[in-house]
Amino acid sequence: MEEKSPPLLKGSKPHLEKLTLGITRILESSPGVTEVTIREKAPAERHMISSWEQKNNCALPEDVKNFYLMTNGFHMTWNVKLDDHTIPLGSMAINSISKLCQLNQSSMYSLPNAPTLADLEDDTDEAGEDQPEKPHFDSRSVIFELDSCNGNGKVCLVYKSGKPGLAQDTEIWFLDRALYWHFLTDTFTAYYRLLITHLGLPQWQYAFTSYGISPQVKQWFNMYKPITYNTNLLTEETDSFVNKLDPSKVFKSKNKALIPKKKGTVQPSGAQKGPPGPSTSKSSSGPGNPVRK
């Protein structure tokens, strides 16, 4: 059973700053961002990694091992304050070694002859020239879940050659809710950089799919634009409208500075034309001199 640690703010410990690549400073300096927290987790013991490899008959890549030897999982969140409401927005997570579980290949329902993930697989969509061969739900691939993506899909560590799983045969893939595979990176290190530089924005993994992110998520991407994001993905057509928000203006005070009036100005003679209106003690209502109420 894992120990629960209290959330920590950025900069509370040097190794946490190193783990997040300094992204906490960028977040906390962004307009509207609040409650940037990291849940510190103790490093995994070497025997835990060895036990996982023996149990699953798969060798973890060196970068994955080094990650777990630094922290047994990762969870960083940040919120946005709009008006008087605080909205949870960013979430960066990687499962601990004990939760690095293989995708369930048993029946999806507790009914006789219920379909499995392998039964639902479509073999017609194979690899293209610039796309590696997609994973398989059957014994041809071994798939472990790195992140559940808050229900928007799954980021998976995939062994392409089945068991025994070799470290050099691993890739990182995204499985969307329609059970379609999308290639992310060749290595865990490259995926971790993507996770951090996309700030854990909701559904950011869909930027690497053919259908892209939703219109609502585009607005968050425009406000908190990740470092590596390609802005060309925001516009599918030249005439499509994208509301590009400027955070410095959105969260800036709208109170305008008052311009002091000059005293002692003398109106030139003959400047007021037309018949004089009803006179008052301080001003008269003419076309250029309205009555003050």
Side-chain angles (χ1 to χ4, degrees), residues 83-97:
D83 296 331
D84 295 330
H85 304 282
T86 300
I87 302 173
L89 188 62
S91 177
M92 291 164 263
I94 294 176
N95 288 337
S96 62
I97 188 72

Side-chain angles (χ1 to χ4, degrees), residues 152-153 174 176-177 203-213:
N152 294 313
F174 174 61
D176 66 21
R177 296 184 63 181
Q203 304 176 24
W204 69 265
Q205 295 88 355
Y206 283 88
F208 294 86
T209 66
S210 59
Y211 31 85
I213 58 180

Side-chain angles (χ1 to χ4, degrees), residues 49-58 98 101-102 163:
I49 298 176
S50 300
S51 176
W52 185 94
E53 291 179 324
Q54 294 176 4
K55 176 183 176 182
N56 295 282
N57 195 18
C58 294
S98 62
C101 301
Q102 187 173 353
K163 290 187 177 182

Side-chain angles (χ1 to χ4, degrees), residues 158-261:
V158 178
Y159 289 81
K160 302 296 291 291
S161 58
K163 290 187 177 182
L166 304 178
Q168 62 268 23
D169 292 333
T170 58
E171 294 173 346
I172 309 297
W173 286 73
F174 174 61
L175 179 66
D176 66 21
R177 296 184 63 181
L179 300 182
Y180 285 99
W181 288 104
H182 309 276
F183 177 75
L184 291 179
T185 63
D186 290 314
T187 64
F188 173 80
T189 301
Y191 168 72
Y192 186 77
R193 291 196 189 101
L194 287 180
L195 175 66
I196 294 296
T197 55
H198 282 78
L199 309 179
L201 286 165
Q203 304 176 24
W204 69 265
Q205 295 88 355
Y206 283 88
F208 294 86
T209 66
S210 59
Y211 31 85
I213 58 180
S214 66
Q216 180 182 4
V217 175
K218 286 181 182 180
Q219 304 306 318
W220 293 119
F221 268 68
N222 282 332
M223 293 184 67
Y224 303 102
K225 186 176 174 181
I227 300 171
T228 60
Y229 187 63
N230 184 1
T231 54
N232 293 332
L233 296 176
L234 293 175
T235 307
E236 292 80 7
E237 298 176 359
T238 56
D239 57 347
S240 63
F241 173 77
V242 177
N243 183 13
K244 296 184 178 180
L245 301 177
D246 186 351
S248 63
K249 296 180 180 179
V250 172
F251 299 100
K252 191 176 181 180
S253 175
K254 295 183 179 179
N255 296 329
K256 296 181 179 179
L258 297 178
I259 301 176
K261 295 183 178 180

Side-chain angles (χ1 to χ4, degrees), residues 68 93-95 100 144-148 155-157 172 188 191:
Y68 282 122
I94 294 176
N95 288 337
L100 187 62
F144 297 94
E145 181 182 327
L146 285 171
D147 181 13
S148 61
V155 173
C156 300
L157 175 67
I172 309 297
F188 173 80
Y191 168 72

Side-chain angles (χ1 to χ4, degrees), residues 257-277:
L258 297 178
I259 301 176
K261 295 183 178 180
K262 296 181 180 180
K263 297 182 179 180
T265 56
V266 179
Q267 190 173 7
S269 59
Q272 182 176 354
K273 297 182 180 180

